[in-house]
Amino acid sequence: PSWQSTFLVGSHTLASSPLFGSGPTTFGQEWLKFKDRSLNDTVFWGVDFAAGIGYIPTSFITTGVGGALSWIFFLGLFLLTGFRALMFRLPEDRLVRFVSVSSFVGASYVLLLAFLATPGPVILAGGFVLCGVFISSLKHGKGKQEQIISFSESPRVGFVLVFVLTLLLLGALATVYRVSERYVSQLAFVDASVALSGGDIDQAQMKIDRSLALSPSDRAYRLASTIGIERMRRIANDSSIPVASAQEQFQTALSNSIASAGEATRLGANNYQNWTVLGNVYQSVATLGVDGAYEGAKEAYAKAVALNPTSPTLPYVLAQLELVEENLLASEAHALESVNLKRDYIPAILFLAQLEIRLGKAQEALQAAEAAAYFAPNDPAVLLQVGLLRLGTGDTDGAIQALSRAIEINPQFANARFFLSALYAQKGEFASAVAQLKSIANFSEENALAVASDLAELEAGRNPFSSARLRSLGVPQPPVSEPEETTVE
């Protein structure tokens, strides 16, 4: 994000927690709560920024005034020591002088980079190593002053030193073990993601179980829940599984998916993605009439919206959820909210258009579809919706224009050609209607069988596309009824 966006988020965060900020690694949460809503009109609308314009400015926000003063003290002391050493105390030995100057310049560059960008942990670690090299090189500078402490002369001090070093060594070993464990867990997580993308859910489940066994995390539990949703979908669509076995497997997958999503929300209660996945689990079974699924999904999505109030996707999924329960007015309100948050959010606009049709608002539906076409003029699916809705308002010529544009963009768009054929038939232009169906038939043998009867009717001079049939295919009824059948003399 820009300086302006970083400052906006920081001002809101520090207004509520000035002394210690929002806490380390929490900039992403603050970004979602306080980002400018106008960003939804840019290409970054769906980006969840985890840091601001730079590493150090982000630290000012997440650690508050205390962290900012610590950074200022460190930077001031480092720069003051460095400039004094370069001006008055450079070592006489050429090699040591080179090491001293180069380490100071390198460390300064990394610190400047941390102020203007967000370098990774390797670069930051390298910068602080250079700081240490520079400080150690001052031992050889001009006018050096040394203070020697001999531990051999004080057994008690020596014992304390050995004890502290032993604790540090044990802590270092434990840290290395823990980091290695998390690294292997991350590799297993990546393997699970790849396996799920490839459709191998059994392999994905095995890998994610390994990742969770090594180092549990909310995103690993999110992926486990997503795997469960995919498993439920496959079980529901697999007719070869006996009914009793399918019910048992489905119930097990549902329970595991809910448990994984719930664990994700426990580990990351302030991460809206965890609540969204939990809502997805409940919504996936709400259509099956499972008791409590609708209420569970609605509650989870509400918590996600509270954590990410400017996201247009969350009102959109709430609109879909309300439609499952046939709450058309509530669904319309959520769809409008989604579009208001992002004017060019095509899925929500098309959903709203279909919803307006069900509410009997054909003109409003057409306006929504026309808006989608404005933002996506080269999307054949959008043009198909526009064509059908124009037909629903009686604009047959406008519908033909939209559908013709759709097949111009995608000549293989069989659905658009089918409805275009129907419109030509309604106007009595049977030659053009036959040409469209023949194009569909040439795509595949299956398509040829599907349109064979309609093609035969058209070639015989009869219109097989009655208004009732078009309505059954999802075309809104035009305000003026057209003849059920047209015969060429």
Side-chain angles (χ1 to χ4, degrees):
S2 63
W3 279 105
Q4 180 181 0
S5 297
T6 303
F7 179 79
L8 175 66
V9 173
S11 60
H12 284 93
T13 302
L14 296 179
S16 58
S17 304
L19 190 57
F20 298 111
S22 59
T25 71
T26 59
F27 179 87
Q29 300 171 15
E30 302 302 303
W31 168 261
L32 294 175
K33 288 190 292 186
F34 301 122
K35 72 175 182 179
D36 191 346
R37 201 171 77 173
S38 63
L39 288 173
N40 283 339
D41 297 326
T42 70
V43 296
F44 301 106
W45 70 273
V47 179
D48 297 340
F49 287 102
I53 186 68
Y55 181 85
I56 294 177
T58 301
S59 181
F60 286 1
I61 297 172
T62 57
T63 59
V65 175
L69 291 177
S70 300
W71 271 111
I72 293 172
F73 176 76
F74 168 74
L75 294 174
L77 183 61
F78 173 75
L79 293 175
L80 177 61
T81 303
F83 284 124
R84 287 178 62 187
L86 294 178
M87 295 294 293
F88 308 110
R89 298 180 181 177
L90 276 178
E92 295 181 353
D93 185 273
R94 292 181 62 182
L95 177 60
V96 177
R97 184 164 64 246
F98 169 77
V99 171
S100 182
V101 174
S102 60
S103 60
F104 175 75
V105 173
S108 299
Y109 173 77
V110 172
L111 292 173
L112 178 63
L113 186 65
F115 196 80
L116 301 176
T118 53
V122 175
I123 295 178
L124 288 173
F128 281 98
V129 167
L130 291 175
C131 286
V133 172
F134 169 70
I135 297 300
S136 66
S137 71
L138 299 180
K139 175 183 177 181
H140 304 280
K142 298 177 182 178
K144 62 182 180 181
Q145 295 180 355
E146 294 183 353
Q147 184 177 2
I148 299 176
I149 300 176
S150 176
F151 295 109
S152 61
E153 298 178 359
S154 178
R156 292 182 178 179
V157 175
F159 173 78
V160 172
L161 176 65
V162 171
F163 180 73
V164 171
L165 290 176
T166 302
L167 292 180
L168 290 175
L169 178 61
L170 293 175
L173 292 175
T175 302
V176 169
Y177 176 78
R178 181 57 179 162
V179 169
S180 301
E181 201 173 41
R182 293 188 64 178
Y183 177 73
V184 176
S185 174
Q186 172 66 15
L187 292 179
F189 174 85
V190 173
D191 291 340
S193 300
V194 172
L196 180 60
S197 300
D200 189 350
I201 60 174
D202 292 329
Q203 179 72 6
Q205 187 67 58
M206 182 185 69
K207 292 294 184 181
I208 201 61
D209 288 342
R210 183 183 181 190
S211 177
L212 289 170
L214 291 170
S215 180
S217 64
D218 61 335
R219 70 173 188 166
Y221 277 113
R222 282 203 310 270
L223 183 60
S225 182
T226 304
I227 294 172
I229 294 175
E230 176 62 18
R231 190 179 295 277
M232 286 188 292
R233 186 190 66 81
R234 293 191 180 188
I235 293 172
N237 294 331
D238 191 350
S239 58
S240 64
I241 305 176
V243 175
S245 177
Q247 291 177 343
E248 182 180 354
Q249 293 180 32
F250 189 90
Q251 184 61 43
T252 301
L254 174 60
S255 300
N256 292 338
S257 190
I258 292 176
S260 296
E263 192 64 20
T265 61
R266 186 186 69 81
L267 294 177
N270 293 323
N271 189 334
Y272 82 97
Q273 295 179 354
N274 298 331
W275 294 105
T276 301
V277 169
L278 181 60
N280 291 343
V281 176
Y282 282 120
Q283 185 174 3
S284 65
V285 295
T287 55
L288 304 178
V290 176
D291 291 339
Y294 165 75
E295 292 77 8
K298 191 171 184 179
E299 181 181 357
Y301 286 142
K303 292 182 179 179
V305 170
L307 294 170
N308 190 5
T310 60
S311 170
T313 60
L314 295 175
Y316 172 56
V317 296
L318 275 168
Q320 294 176 310
L321 177 66
E322 295 293 351
L323 187 60
V324 172
E325 295 293 308
E326 294 296 323
N327 299 329
L328 300 185
L329 294 179
S331 180
E332 181 187 32
H334 287 303
L336 287 171
E337 181 184 358
S338 177
V339 175
N340 289 333
L341 286 170
K342 182 172 173 58
R343 295 174 299 171
D344 59 347
Y345 191 37
I346 305 301
I349 295 175
L350 293 179
F351 179 86
L352 180 62
Q354 294 296 324
L355 193 60
E356 299 290 27
I357 293 174
R358 296 189 60 176
L359 290 170
K361 302 178 181 179
Q363 193 60 43
E364 289 82 351
L366 177 59
Q367 291 175 358
E370 296 280 8
Y374 173 80
F375 291 114
N378 295 319
D379 189 330
V382 173
L383 292 170
L384 173 63
Q385 294 292 329
V386 171
L388 297 181
L389 290 169
R390 283 178 179 174
L391 178 62
T393 58
D395 184 7
T396 304
D397 292 335
I400 291 176
Q401 181 183 12
L403 294 175
S404 298
R405 174 59 180 162
I407 63 174
E408 179 184 344
I409 297 172
N410 180 12
Q412 306 295 317
F413 197 178
N415 282 343
R417 287 188 180 276
F418 179 83
F419 285 113
L420 185 57
S421 176
L423 294 183
Y424 281 136
Q426 292 284 352
K427 294 189 67 175
E429 300 178 10
F430 286 169
S432 298
V434 168
Q436 295 301 324
L437 289 189
K438 284 185 175 180
S439 296
I440 296 174
N442 291 333
F443 292 158
S444 67
E445 293 183 2
E446 183 180 359
N447 283 344
L449 291 174
V451 301
S453 60
D454 293 331
L455 187 57
E457 288 290 306
L458 288 172
E459 289 177 336
R462 292 186 294 272
N463 177 16
F465 304 107
S466 65
S467 297
R469 183 183 178 192
L470 291 178
R471 284 198 303 273
S472 68
L473 296 174
V475 179
Q477 185 177 8
V480 180
S481 60
E482 299 186 11
E484 293 294 318
E485 184 176 306
T486 302
T487 304
V488 176
E489 295 292 339

